[in-house]
Amino acid sequence: MNKELAKNFAPGHSACAGCGIPAIVRAILNESKDPVVVANATGCLEVTSTLYPYTAWKVPYIHNAFENAAATISGVEKAYKALVKKGKIPRQARDDSPQRINFVAFGGDGGTYDIGLQSLSGALERGHNFLYVVYDNGGYMNTGNQRSSATPYGAATETTPAGKESFGKVEMRKNLMEIVNAHRIGYAAQGSVGYLEDLKKKAQKAFATDGPSFLSVMQPCTNNWKFPTSMYVHYAKLATETNFWPLYEIENGNYVINYLPKERKPVEEFLKGQGRFKHLFTPENKHVIEEMQKIVDSEWERLQKLAG
Ligand SMILES: Cc1ncc(C[n+]2csc(CCOP(=O)(O)OP(=O)(O)O)c2C)c(N)n1
Ligand SMILES: [Mg+2]
């Protein structure tokens, strides 16, 4: 692998073939002009990159419990500020200012939408200078595909099985971007592994933000969404082209949509071919796809209004 591309995260990890997480981590961290420190909640990224006695990380890395990546990175950032105050951070030759460091926390959707939400909220509210990245694969994937509050309506998971009694998950996804925006931070954006150039620009803006910033990144899971390993970019793009996963930014409270599909595809196109939605393609479950289309349409309408 290209050395520059792997400068923060090495290819020697055990993520599934066709997993987008390494591409997300590299795309974001490689945009940092300054050294980075990473805190990572347990989940696929952690278990596949830190298999003792090896590590794929080439930057200082702190493994966290499921619920506290944001709290840990807050502490590290605060310690850095204390060291700056004491004059213990080396000064840069170019302008005599203390060496800057970017603090980044990574968590899965389970670790962010659900279990780590309080620590994320606390860190955003306290205003630490850090970037939080949620890679969203719509479930607790490392432990075998249990539902999270990011799992889409209609998806079959281990804890929302589809069968005679149910069509899969009956609840809608939580809108985490709006929860984050309620903290009035400077920059939050939704990106996707299917649009890496867009994601890199968002990472640059996040690193340039003074105070907390947030990136929510779509990461299709070949293993538990059940599609061929070569197709993660295909499904990431379909998620955006169907408006299921719009690309947008919230800069100081102002919404901007970054991608307007020329011709919006029906959500069915995104569902088709994924094992977790296979049960919906039957006459008795047709209404679930219709309902899902309604949800996607109303969320898109809402977003358009917010973007003015
Ligand atoms: C408090 C707590 N509950 C449960 C677990 C077990 N556990 C570890 S990772 C994980 C799933 C993580 O899901 P997510 O955050 O979406 O990351 P993914 O595995 O999908 O990358 C679970 C349930 C744990 N480590 N700690
Ligand atoms: Mg997950």
Side-chain angles (χ1 to χ4, degrees):
M1 172 176 267
N2 174 321
K3 268 200 175 138
E4 185 57 21
L5 189 62
K7 68 181 177 186
N8 293 306
F9 191 82
H13 54 73
S14 61
C16 299
C19 172
I21 299 176
I24 294 170
V25 171
R26 289 192 186 109
I28 293 171
L29 293 187
N30 290 0
E31 291 307 313
S32 174
K33 292 195 192 84
D34 299 304
V36 292
V37 174
V38 168
N40 182 198
T42 190
C44 290
L45 173 57
E46 178 259 322
V47 296
T48 59
S49 63
T50 60
L51 211 62
Y52 184 81
Y54 305 106
T55 176
W57 295 92
K58 293 182 165 180
V59 297
Y61 172 91
I62 309 168
H63 167 219
N64 291 259
F66 212 8
E67 48 278 79
N68 63 342
T72 302
I73 208 74
S74 303
V76 180
E77 185 258 6
K78 202 74 184 162
Y80 163 80
K81 279 193 176 149
L83 291 173
V84 168
K85 235 184 200 170
K86 288 185 179 172
K88 291 195 173 170
I89 297 290
R91 295 192 168 265
Q92 302 173 102
R94 63 165 193 255
D95 59 1
D96 203 36
S97 65
Q99 172 66 56
R100 284 178 59 100
I101 298 176
N102 282 320
F103 300 97
V104 185
F106 286 98
D109 49 289
T112 308
Y113 284 69
D114 300 341
I115 306 187
L117 187 61
Q118 50 79 15
S119 73
L120 171 62
S121 174
L124 297 178
E125 186 270 333
R126 290 188 301 272
H128 296 281
N129 191 19
F130 79 115
L131 164 62
Y132 191 101
V133 181
V134 52
Y135 61 94
D136 187 342
N137 50 29
Y140 293 62
M141 297 320 192
N142 136 71
T143 43
N145 192 19
Q146 295 84 26
R147 61 88 85 187
S148 78
S149 56
T151 303
Y153 176 81
T157 70
E158 226 181 38
T159 45
T160 60
K164 280 200 189 102
E165 300 292 327
S166 174
F167 57 77
K169 190 183 172 196
V170 298
E171 299 86 11
M172 270 176 68
R173 291 166 40 78
K174 182 190 281 182
N175 191 322
L176 184 61
M177 288 290 284
E178 289 191 21
I179 295 173
V180 167
N181 186 41
H183 295 78
R184 304 292 176 253
I185 66 171
Y187 187 73
Q190 188 154 281
S192 166
V193 71
Y195 299 85
L196 285 180
E197 291 310 311
D198 172 85
L199 183 61
K200 287 181 201 170
K201 277 188 215 144
K202 288 172 175 164
Q204 284 170 16
K205 284 195 183 180
F207 287 131
T209 302
D210 195 17
S213 54
F214 181 80
L215 293 176
S216 164
V217 188
M218 150 72 56
Q219 180 251 311
C221 173
T222 169
N223 205 22
N224 291 317
W225 293 16
K226 302 184 179 70
F227 58 76
T229 54
S230 61
M231 295 183 82
Y232 78 90
V233 170
H234 173 82
Y235 278 106
K237 284 190 185 292
L238 274 176
T240 296
E241 286 166 7
T242 56
N243 288 341
F244 174 85
W245 190 266
L247 304 183
Y248 66 101
E249 295 169 294
I250 315 175
E251 238 175 314
N252 296 314
N254 297 314
Y255 282 70
V256 177
I257 300 175
N258 309 115
Y259 181 90
L260 290 167
K262 277 193 201 90
E263 202 183 317
R264 194 268 292 146
K265 293 183 176 161
V267 74
E268 200 175 317
E269 299 273 311
F270 170 60
L271 311 181
K272 226 169 24 190
Q274 291 189 45
R276 64 177 177 158
F277 295 121
K278 200 173 76 185
H279 58 285
L280 300 182
F281 291 85
T282 55
E284 60 275 19
N285 280 339
K286 203 169 150 251
H287 71 281
V288 182
I289 298 183
E290 286 164 7
E291 188 56 35
M292 195 154 175
Q293 186 65 61
K294 276 190 208 150
I295 295 171
V296 168
D297 289 346
S298 79
E299 287 294 301
W300 175 247
E301 214 171 287
R302 182 182 168 80
L303 180 64
Q304 280 185 310
K305 275 193 197 130
L306 287 166

